[in-house]
Amino acid sequence: MIIYKKDYISIAYYKPEQLLEITWLAYASSAAYREAMLHYIEALQKYEVKRWLGDYRQARVVRLSDQQWTIEEWAPLFFEQANQLEKMARVRSTDISARISSENMYKSLDYTQLPYPYMEFELYGNARNWLLA
């Protein structure tokens, strides 16, 4: 079931698998990016999510100001709400600039402190299979 959809993102919840799947589809302006990111947190509050799949294959670069906002403001809210998760997977972007901006953010966040497994993948199918195993 699609719970949020814009030209640049789609967020779907699959109740039988308790899976939230975020698919970035294109570049998002600063306001659009932040709005979409806040929908992540809203979905965690509204649905029983045990598995999280971030599909960033088509994601594009995140502006520096939005990277900083993600690290300083969004991440603490997200990690507070994400305690219910059992597994989290991320499919990397195919765009080199997007990978660099993403890596800049993820270097600033300590994923080793998560109480559940977190894995990054190059292939969507591998990520989804791992989550559902």
Side-chain angles (χ1 to χ4, degrees):
M1 155 178 74
I2 302 291
I3 59 174
Y4 183 76
K5 177 94 169 114
K6 299 287 183 181
D7 292 343
Y8 50 88
I9 193 170
S10 174
I11 301 176
Y13 177 66
Y14 301 98
K15 188 175 182 172
E17 296 89 3
Q18 296 178 307
L19 170 68
L20 190 70
E21 185 170 328
I22 293 94
T23 306
W24 283 93
L25 305 166
Y27 172 78
S29 69
S30 183
Y33 170 83
R34 292 178 188 207
E35 177 185 311
M37 294 293 284
L38 292 173
H39 276 277
Y40 288 15
I41 294 166
E42 185 179 303
L44 286 172
Q45 294 168 338
K46 190 172 181 180
Y47 300 98
E48 190 173 347
V49 180
K50 298 293 182 191
R51 296 168 187 88
W52 179 284
L53 177 57
D55 182 358
Y56 291 82
R57 289 176 293 173
Q58 297 177 68
R60 296 299 173 247
V61 69
V62 176
R63 297 173 49 173
L64 285 173
S65 60
D66 292 326
Q67 290 179 39
Q68 206 59 34
W69 174 85
T70 300
I71 293 162
E72 294 174 3
E73 296 184 39
W74 179 84
L77 296 172
F78 175 78
F79 288 125
E80 181 180 303
Q81 294 296 319
N83 286 332
Q84 69 199 42
L85 296 178
E86 293 176 358
K87 279 183 164 179
M88 185 176 193
R90 183 173 179 276
V91 184
R92 293 182 183 110
S93 177
T94 58
D95 180 84
I96 190 66
S97 296
R99 278 190 186 226
I100 291 168
S101 68
S102 179
E103 286 173 13
N104 286 340
M105 283 186 282
Y106 289 103
K107 278 191 252 175
S108 299
L109 302 171
D110 186 4
Y111 282 87
T112 63
Q113 299 300 313
L114 295 176
Y116 45 82
Y118 169 81
M119 295 277 297
E120 291 194 356
F121 296 86
E122 296 297 327
L123 301 173
Y124 171 84
N126 292 350
R128 190 163 169 75
N129 289 341
W130 177 79
L131 276 175
L132 299 177

